[in-house]
Amino acid sequence: MKLLLTGSSGQVGTELKQQLAGQAGLLMPSRAELDLADEAAVQAYLKQHQPQVILNAAAYTAVDLAETEQAAALALNAQLPALLARYCAKSGAYLLHYSTDYVYPGTGSEPWQEDSPTGPLNYYGQTKLQGDLAVLAQCPAALIFRTSWVYSVHGKNFRNTILRLAKQQAELRIVADQIGAPTAASLIAAISLQALQRFQQGQPMTGGVYHLAPRGYGSWYDFAQAIVKQAMKQGEALVLLPEAIQPIPSSDYPTPAQRPLNSRLCVDKLERALGIRLPEWQELLAFKTQ
Ligand SMILES: NC(=O)c1ccc[n+]([C@@H]2O[C@H](COP(=O)([O-])OP(=O)(O)OC[C@H]3O[C@@H](n4cnc5c(N)ncnc54)[C@H](OP(=O)(O)O)[C@@H]3O)[C@@H](O)[C@H]2O)c1
């Protein structure tokens, strides 16, 4: 079975690549080999290779830059998924696409359901929502996993930034009024492979949107505390102590793109579909490799 993995150098893509190791027929073009913002090039690639499965882990994820680099964000987050969905609908190929908590408006304090009203607060969220809507319209059998606050040992993410800063400075101010669930890229990859296995066994999950995040919620401040405490437990030499992290409101940390205060995702639908219980976010952080 030919499987196309896009974004294999990203956080989720790297974990998928590792967990798919040994799978025959794996296509993982680098950006130099295939610019995913180039529609004609993507179309030609699909025509040439005819993948039967597409895992679309590629995206434009620079949330603040997306406010100004709008064309690049739109190409990767909206136009690419639309094109992949059209190809999959036409060829019968299986599509697994990833999306974000940033499609929701961030109001209230109840967890979002998959059918909650959307209302992105920033341009990145708008483009991701456009991508979701295109996939749902073009290819109803496709899966869309909406996740939140992705981190991994690879790449640029909150966990790695906090670990770096904790070795350099004795104080840190972290936003405490945005609530969500930090999600290890390795969890996203593991669940994706379970979904893929279902498809390969002829029992695919029903197409549509699923939230994919660990159980439990916390703020970025809680996440920073947990990262530092975990690193101390693992014997890392840090300058920063957990009690020296100051909680601040989002208003004290202005960014070009507005962030939602409520990023809680209800994960019941995914748990029911796969017959699993997702781990708590703190449990996942305890593994050194995640
Ligand atoms: N990061 C988060 O906190 C977060 C939160 C919620 C949802 N998500 C969603 O989860 C999914 C995976 O995110 P991630 O954090 O793993 O992303 P990431 O680490 O930023 O990786 C993005 C991938 O896309 C590739 N890419 C971007 N533009 C490209 C282009 N023009 N041509 C070829 N490749 C291109 C990148 O390649 P290069 O390495 O060459 O740049 C990289 O491999 C995305 O759908 C994202 O929207 C992420």
Side-chain angles (χ1 to χ4, degrees), residues 164-182:
R164 177 171 50 80
L165 293 176
K167 290 173 187 162
Q168 295 168 355
Q169 56 194 64
E171 281 179 20
L172 210 52
R173 288 151 47 87
I174 302 289
V175 167
D177 57 359
Q178 294 172 24
I179 311 295

Side-chain angles (χ1 to χ4, degrees), residues 153-171:
V153 286
H154 323 279
K156 213 176 145 210
N157 58 58
F158 185 81
R159 173 195 175 273
N160 292 345
T161 302
I162 295 296
L163 281 179
R164 177 171 50 80
L165 293 176
K167 290 173 187 162
Q168 295 168 355
Q169 56 194 64
E171 281 179 20

Side-chain angles (χ1 to χ4, degrees), residues 7 9-12 31 35-36 58-59 61 98-99 124 128 147 150:
S9 58
Q11 298 192 83
V12 172
R31 187 193 283 255
D35 177 3
L36 295 167
T61 58
Y98 299 95
S99 185
Y124 164 78
K128 291 296 293 183
T147 185
V150 178

Side-chain angles (χ1 to χ4, degrees), residues 67 102-107 119-126 256-262:
E67 297 294 316
Y102 282 16
V103 300
Y104 298 112
T107 46
L121 297 177
N122 54 48
Y123 191 71
Y124 164 78
Q126 282 175 38
Q258 194 188 342
R259 265 69 171 174
L261 295 180
N262 178 18

